[in-house]
mmCIF file of all heavy atoms in Angstrom:
data_model
loop_
_atom_site.group_PDB
_atom_site.id
_atom_site.type_symbol
_atom_site.label_atom_id
_atom_site.label_comp_id
_atom_site.label_asym_id
_atom_site.label_seq_id
_atom_site.Cartn_x
_atom_site.Cartn_y
_atom_site.Cartn_z
ATOM 1 N N GLY A 26 132.019 -111.951 -60.018
ATOM 2 C CA GLY A 26 130.842 -112.664 -59.538
ATOM 3 C C GLY A 26 130.126 -113.380 -60.657
ATOM 4 O O GLY A 26 128.922 -113.184 -60.856
ATOM 5 N N GLY A 27 130.815 -114.196 -61.442
ATOM 6 C CA GLY A 27 130.192 -114.966 -62.507
ATOM 7 C C GLY A 27 130.056 -114.165 -63.792
ATOM 8 O O GLY A 27 130.568 -113.057 -63.934
ATOM 9 N N PRO A 28 129.326 -114.728 -64.772
ATOM 10 C CA PRO A 28 129.164 -114.048 -66.067
ATOM 11 C C PRO A 28 128.537 -112.662 -65.962
ATOM 12 O O PRO A 28 128.889 -111.760 -66.724
ATOM 13 C CB PRO A 28 128.268 -115.014 -66.855
ATOM 14 C CG PRO A 28 128.480 -116.346 -66.210
ATOM 15 C CD PRO A 28 128.703 -116.062 -64.759
ATOM 16 N N GLU A 29 127.578 -112.465 -65.023
ATOM 17 C CA GLU A 29 126.947 -111.150 -64.876
ATOM 18 C C GLU A 29 127.963 -110.100 -64.454
ATOM 19 O O GLU A 29 127.964 -108.975 -64.958
ATOM 20 C CB GLU A 29 125.796 -111.235 -63.868
ATOM 21 C CG GLU A 29 124.595 -112.001 -64.364
ATOM 22 C CD GLU A 29 123.963 -111.344 -65.587
ATOM 23 O OE1 GLU A 29 124.000 -110.100 -65.683
ATOM 24 O OE2 GLU A 29 123.467 -112.081 -66.453
ATOM 25 N N GLY A 30 128.831 -110.450 -63.530
ATOM 26 C CA GLY A 30 129.874 -109.520 -63.122
ATOM 27 C C GLY A 30 130.830 -109.219 -64.256
ATOM 28 O O GLY A 30 131.287 -108.074 -64.416
ATOM 29 N N ARG A 31 131.128 -110.223 -65.047
ATOM 30 C CA ARG A 31 132.009 -110.024 -66.197
ATOM 31 C C ARG A 31 131.397 -109.041 -67.187
ATOM 32 O O ARG A 31 132.069 -108.127 -67.695
ATOM 33 C CB ARG A 31 132.248 -111.383 -66.860
ATOM 34 C CG ARG A 31 133.350 -111.432 -67.893
ATOM 35 C CD ARG A 31 133.604 -112.898 -68.227
ATOM 36 N NE ARG A 31 134.720 -113.064 -69.127
ATOM 37 C CZ ARG A 31 134.614 -113.101 -70.442
ATOM 38 N NH1 ARG A 31 133.427 -112.966 -70.990
ATOM 39 N NH2 ARG A 31 135.679 -113.282 -71.198
ATOM 40 N N ARG A 32 130.107 -109.207 -67.493
ATOM 41 C CA ARG A 32 129.433 -108.302 -68.426
ATOM 42 C C ARG A 32 129.340 -106.891 -67.867
ATOM 43 O O ARG A 32 129.481 -105.910 -68.605
ATOM 44 C CB ARG A 32 128.039 -108.839 -68.769
ATOM 45 C CG ARG A 32 128.061 -109.949 -69.809
ATOM 46 C CD ARG A 32 126.666 -110.227 -70.351
ATOM 47 N NE ARG A 32 125.862 -110.934 -69.367
ATOM 48 C CZ ARG A 32 125.803 -112.263 -69.279
ATOM 49 N NH1 ARG A 32 126.511 -113.018 -70.112
ATOM 50 N NH2 ARG A 32 125.049 -112.845 -68.380
ATOM 51 N N SER A 33 129.112 -106.751 -66.568
ATOM 52 C CA SER A 33 129.027 -105.416 -65.966
ATOM 53 C C SER A 33 130.367 -104.683 -66.045
ATOM 54 O O SER A 33 130.415 -103.484 -66.317
ATOM 55 C CB SER A 33 128.556 -105.524 -64.515
ATOM 56 O OG SER A 33 127.238 -106.013 -64.432
ATOM 57 N N VAL A 34 131.452 -105.423 -65.808
ATOM 58 C CA VAL A 34 132.779 -104.799 -65.899
ATOM 59 C C VAL A 34 133.057 -104.347 -67.330
ATOM 60 O O VAL A 34 133.562 -103.231 -67.570
ATOM 61 C CB VAL A 34 133.867 -105.777 -65.405
ATOM 62 C CG1 VAL A 34 135.257 -105.227 -65.710
ATOM 63 C CG2 VAL A 34 133.712 -106.028 -63.909
ATOM 64 N N LEU A 35 132.715 -105.181 -68.330
ATOM 65 C CA LEU A 35 132.942 -104.807 -69.726
ATOM 66 C C LEU A 35 132.070 -103.622 -70.135
ATOM 67 O O LEU A 35 132.508 -102.747 -70.900
ATOM 68 C CB LEU A 35 132.655 -106.004 -70.631
ATOM 69 C CG LEU A 35 133.666 -107.157 -70.558
ATOM 70 C CD1 LEU A 35 133.193 -108.331 -71.400
ATOM 71 C CD2 LEU A 35 135.047 -106.706 -71.007
ATOM 72 N N LYS A 36 130.849 -103.571 -69.607
ATOM 73 C CA LYS A 36 129.970 -102.446 -69.926
ATOM 74 C C LYS A 36 130.502 -101.154 -69.316
ATOM 75 O O LYS A 36 130.471 -100.092 -69.956
ATOM 76 C CB LYS A 36 128.558 -102.738 -69.413
ATOM 77 C CG LYS A 36 127.541 -101.676 -69.794
ATOM 78 C CD LYS A 36 126.155 -102.052 -69.313
ATOM 79 C CE LYS A 36 125.152 -100.966 -69.668
ATOM 80 N NZ LYS A 36 123.791 -101.297 -69.163
ATOM 81 N N LEU A 37 131.005 -101.213 -68.111
ATOM 82 C CA LEU A 37 131.586 -100.028 -67.483
ATOM 83 C C LEU A 37 132.828 -99.567 -68.251
ATOM 84 O O LEU A 37 133.046 -98.362 -68.448
ATOM 85 C CB LEU A 37 131.943 -100.327 -66.024
ATOM 86 C CG LEU A 37 132.555 -99.172 -65.222
ATOM 87 C CD1 LEU A 37 131.572 -98.009 -65.127
ATOM 88 C CD2 LEU A 37 132.969 -99.644 -63.830
ATOM 89 N N ALA A 38 133.639 -100.518 -68.707
ATOM 90 C CA ALA A 38 134.826 -100.163 -69.484
ATOM 91 C C ALA A 38 134.442 -99.522 -70.814
ATOM 92 O O ALA A 38 135.104 -98.586 -71.278
ATOM 93 C CB ALA A 38 135.678 -101.404 -69.717
ATOM 94 N N GLU A 39 133.373 -100.001 -71.421
ATOM 95 C CA GLU A 39 132.925 -99.405 -72.679
ATOM 96 C C GLU A 39 132.506 -97.950 -72.471
ATOM 97 O O GLU A 39 132.866 -97.071 -73.258
ATOM 98 C CB GLU A 39 131.759 -100.201 -73.253
ATOM 99 C CG GLU A 39 131.226 -99.624 -74.563
ATOM 100 C CD GLU A 39 129.925 -100.273 -74.979
ATOM 101 O OE1 GLU A 39 129.065 -100.483 -74.111
ATOM 102 O OE2 GLU A 39 129.773 -100.554 -76.169
ATOM 103 N N ARG A 40 131.745 -97.692 -71.415
ATOM 104 C CA ARG A 40 131.339 -96.305 -71.136
ATOM 105 C C ARG A 40 132.542 -95.433 -70.837
ATOM 106 O O ARG A 40 132.573 -94.247 -71.187
ATOM 107 C CB ARG A 40 130.351 -96.288 -69.958
ATOM 108 C CG ARG A 40 129.787 -94.907 -69.673
ATOM 109 C CD ARG A 40 128.556 -94.995 -68.793
ATOM 110 N NE ARG A 40 128.839 -95.514 -67.480
ATOM 111 C CZ ARG A 40 129.292 -94.763 -66.458
ATOM 112 N NH1 ARG A 40 129.523 -93.473 -66.633
ATOM 113 N NH2 ARG A 40 129.499 -95.303 -65.278
ATOM 114 N N MET A 41 133.556 -95.994 -70.213
ATOM 115 C CA MET A 41 134.777 -95.250 -69.923
ATOM 116 C C MET A 41 135.477 -94.817 -71.214
ATOM 117 O O MET A 41 135.913 -93.669 -71.349
ATOM 118 C CB MET A 41 135.710 -96.103 -69.069
ATOM 119 C CG MET A 41 137.062 -95.485 -68.793
ATOM 120 S SD MET A 41 138.142 -96.588 -67.839
ATOM 121 C CE MET A 41 138.399 -97.931 -69.027
ATOM 122 N N VAL A 42 135.564 -95.717 -72.200
ATOM 123 C CA VAL A 42 136.218 -95.394 -73.467
ATOM 124 C C VAL A 42 135.426 -94.337 -74.228
ATOM 125 O O VAL A 42 136.002 -93.409 -74.821
ATOM 126 C CB VAL A 42 136.389 -96.672 -74.309
ATOM 127 C CG1 VAL A 42 136.928 -96.338 -75.699
ATOM 128 C CG2 VAL A 42 137.326 -97.645 -73.611
ATOM 129 N N ILE A 43 134.107 -94.442 -74.226
ATOM 130 C CA ILE A 43 133.271 -93.447 -74.901
ATOM 131 C C ILE A 43 133.476 -92.075 -74.277
ATOM 132 O O ILE A 43 133.609 -91.060 -74.977
ATOM 133 C CB ILE A 43 131.792 -93.866 -74.842
ATOM 134 C CG1 ILE A 43 131.566 -95.124 -75.674
ATOM 135 C CG2 ILE A 43 130.891 -92.745 -75.338
ATOM 136 C CD1 ILE A 43 130.170 -95.695 -75.575
ATOM 137 N N SER A 44 133.518 -92.017 -72.958
ATOM 138 C CA SER A 44 133.729 -90.745 -72.271
ATOM 139 C C SER A 44 135.112 -90.178 -72.575
ATOM 140 O O SER A 44 135.281 -88.966 -72.719
ATOM 141 C CB SER A 44 133.547 -90.938 -70.763
ATOM 142 O OG SER A 44 133.762 -89.736 -70.066
ATOM 143 N N TYR A 45 136.106 -91.056 -72.678
ATOM 144 C CA TYR A 45 137.454 -90.589 -73.013
ATOM 145 C C TYR A 45 137.472 -89.937 -74.402
ATOM 146 O O TYR A 45 138.028 -88.844 -74.579
ATOM 147 C CB TYR A 45 138.438 -91.754 -72.974
ATOM 148 C CG TYR A 45 139.785 -91.428 -73.578
ATOM 149 C CD1 TYR A 45 140.753 -90.758 -72.835
ATOM 150 C CD2 TYR A 45 140.083 -91.785 -74.893
ATOM 151 C CE1 TYR A 45 141.986 -90.451 -73.396
ATOM 152 C CE2 TYR A 45 141.310 -91.485 -75.450
ATOM 153 C CZ TYR A 45 142.262 -90.820 -74.704
ATOM 154 O OH TYR A 45 143.481 -90.499 -75.263
ATOM 155 N N CYS A 46 136.861 -90.598 -75.377
ATOM 156 C CA CYS A 46 136.844 -90.047 -76.738
ATOM 157 C C CYS A 46 136.116 -88.715 -76.789
ATOM 158 O O CYS A 46 136.504 -87.810 -77.548
ATOM 159 C CB CYS A 46 136.189 -91.046 -77.694
ATOM 160 S SG CYS A 46 137.138 -92.567 -77.946
ATOM 161 N N SER A 47 135.062 -88.567 -75.978
ATOM 162 C CA SER A 47 134.333 -87.300 -75.976
ATOM 163 C C SER A 47 135.175 -86.159 -75.428
ATOM 164 O O SER A 47 134.965 -85.003 -75.772
ATOM 165 C CB SER A 47 133.046 -87.437 -75.156
ATOM 166 O OG SER A 47 133.345 -87.515 -73.766
ATOM 167 N N GLY A 48 136.136 -86.471 -74.570
ATOM 168 C CA GLY A 48 136.997 -85.425 -74.031
ATOM 169 C C GLY A 48 138.136 -85.060 -74.952
ATOM 170 O O GLY A 48 138.672 -83.950 -74.879
ATOM 171 N N VAL A 49 138.523 -85.980 -75.843
ATOM 172 C CA VAL A 49 139.625 -85.686 -76.761
ATOM 173 C C VAL A 49 139.182 -84.702 -77.832
ATOM 174 O O VAL A 49 139.901 -83.757 -78.165
ATOM 175 C CB VAL A 49 140.141 -86.994 -77.401
ATOM 176 C CG1 VAL A 49 141.162 -86.694 -78.481
ATOM 177 C CG2 VAL A 49 140.763 -87.880 -76.333
ATOM 178 N N SER A 50 138.002 -84.898 -78.400
ATOM 179 C CA SER A 50 137.503 -83.993 -79.453
ATOM 180 C C SER A 50 136.144 -83.467 -79.035
ATOM 181 O O SER A 50 135.169 -84.215 -78.962
ATOM 182 C CB SER A 50 137.388 -84.741 -80.788
ATOM 183 O OG SER A 50 136.593 -85.886 -80.647
ATOM 184 N N ALA A 51 136.087 -82.188 -78.704
ATOM 185 C CA ALA A 51 134.835 -81.576 -78.258
ATOM 186 C C ALA A 51 133.871 -81.462 -79.426
ATOM 187 O O ALA A 51 134.225 -81.007 -80.509
ATOM 188 C CB ALA A 51 135.110 -80.194 -77.667
ATOM 189 N N THR A 52 132.620 -81.875 -79.222
ATOM 190 C CA THR A 52 131.607 -81.841 -80.266
ATOM 191 C C THR A 52 130.353 -81.181 -79.727
ATOM 192 O O THR A 52 130.265 -80.816 -78.556
ATOM 193 C CB THR A 52 131.280 -83.262 -80.742
ATOM 194 O OG1 THR A 52 130.680 -83.987 -79.667
ATOM 195 C CG2 THR A 52 132.530 -83.995 -81.202
ATOM 196 N N ALA A 53 129.357 -81.072 -80.620
ATOM 197 C CA ALA A 53 128.112 -80.417 -80.225
ATOM 198 C C ALA A 53 127.393 -81.172 -79.120
ATOM 199 O O ALA A 53 126.682 -80.582 -78.310
ATOM 200 C CB ALA A 53 127.192 -80.284 -81.448
ATOM 201 N N ALA A 54 127.572 -82.480 -79.045
ATOM 202 C CA ALA A 54 126.848 -83.276 -78.055
ATOM 203 C C ALA A 54 127.510 -83.273 -76.694
ATOM 204 O O ALA A 54 126.885 -83.603 -75.703
ATOM 205 C CB ALA A 54 126.717 -84.716 -78.547
ATOM 206 N N HIS A 55 128.788 -82.911 -76.627
ATOM 207 C CA HIS A 55 129.518 -83.074 -75.375
ATOM 208 C C HIS A 55 129.683 -81.778 -74.587
ATOM 209 O O HIS A 55 130.031 -81.794 -73.424
ATOM 210 C CB HIS A 55 130.892 -83.685 -75.658
ATOM 211 C CG HIS A 55 130.788 -85.005 -76.361
ATOM 212 N ND1 HIS A 55 131.573 -85.336 -77.432
ATOM 213 C CD2 HIS A 55 129.956 -86.060 -76.159
ATOM 214 C CE1 HIS A 55 131.252 -86.548 -77.858
ATOM 215 N NE2 HIS A 55 130.272 -87.008 -77.102
ATOM 216 N N GLN A 56 129.463 -80.644 -75.233
ATOM 217 C CA GLN A 56 129.332 -79.363 -74.549
ATOM 218 C C GLN A 56 130.528 -79.036 -73.657
ATOM 219 O O GLN A 56 130.371 -78.594 -72.531
ATOM 220 C CB GLN A 56 128.032 -79.326 -73.733
ATOM 221 C CG GLN A 56 126.787 -79.495 -74.600
ATOM 222 C CD GLN A 56 125.513 -79.494 -73.797
ATOM 223 O OE1 GLN A 56 125.531 -79.708 -72.588
ATOM 224 N NE2 GLN A 56 124.401 -79.267 -74.442
ATOM 225 N N TRP A 57 131.727 -79.244 -74.175
ATOM 226 C CA TRP A 57 132.914 -78.759 -73.484
ATOM 227 C C TRP A 57 133.135 -77.299 -73.854
ATOM 228 O O TRP A 57 132.788 -76.850 -74.935
ATOM 229 C CB TRP A 57 134.141 -79.565 -73.887
ATOM 230 C CG TRP A 57 134.190 -80.960 -73.350
ATOM 231 C CD1 TRP A 57 133.734 -82.077 -73.966
ATOM 232 C CD2 TRP A 57 134.730 -81.388 -72.097
ATOM 233 N NE1 TRP A 57 133.952 -83.190 -73.181
ATOM 234 C CE2 TRP A 57 134.573 -82.789 -72.026
ATOM 235 C CE3 TRP A 57 135.345 -80.730 -71.027
ATOM 236 C CZ2 TRP A 57 134.993 -83.544 -70.942
ATOM 237 C CZ3 TRP A 57 135.767 -81.484 -69.948
ATOM 238 C CH2 TRP A 57 135.588 -82.872 -69.898
ATOM 239 N N THR A 58 133.749 -76.561 -72.939
ATOM 240 C CA THR A 58 134.124 -75.173 -73.197
ATOM 241 C C THR A 58 135.640 -75.084 -73.275
ATOM 242 O O THR A 58 136.332 -75.438 -72.316
ATOM 243 C CB THR A 58 133.604 -74.235 -72.093
ATOM 244 O OG1 THR A 58 132.176 -74.347 -72.023
ATOM 245 C CG2 THR A 58 133.992 -72.798 -72.386
#
């Protein structure tokens, strides 16, 4: 849906990558058991 839709998709993808990295190495901020 235009440039705004493009930016929203890229922002969602960025959050997805951050969440993936948090699951690979458990840290104090991510509170995995």
Side-chain angles (χ1 to χ4, degrees):
E29 289 298 327
R31 192 169 185 268
R32 281 193 286 270
S33 295
V34 171
L35 289 175
K36 185 177 179 182
L37 181 62
E39 179 190 43
R40 185 164 65 84
M41 175 183 66
V42 174
I43 293 174
S44 179
Y45 168 82
C46 293
S47 72
V49 173
S50 55
T52 65
H55 302 135
Q56 299 179 341
W57 288 93
T58 301

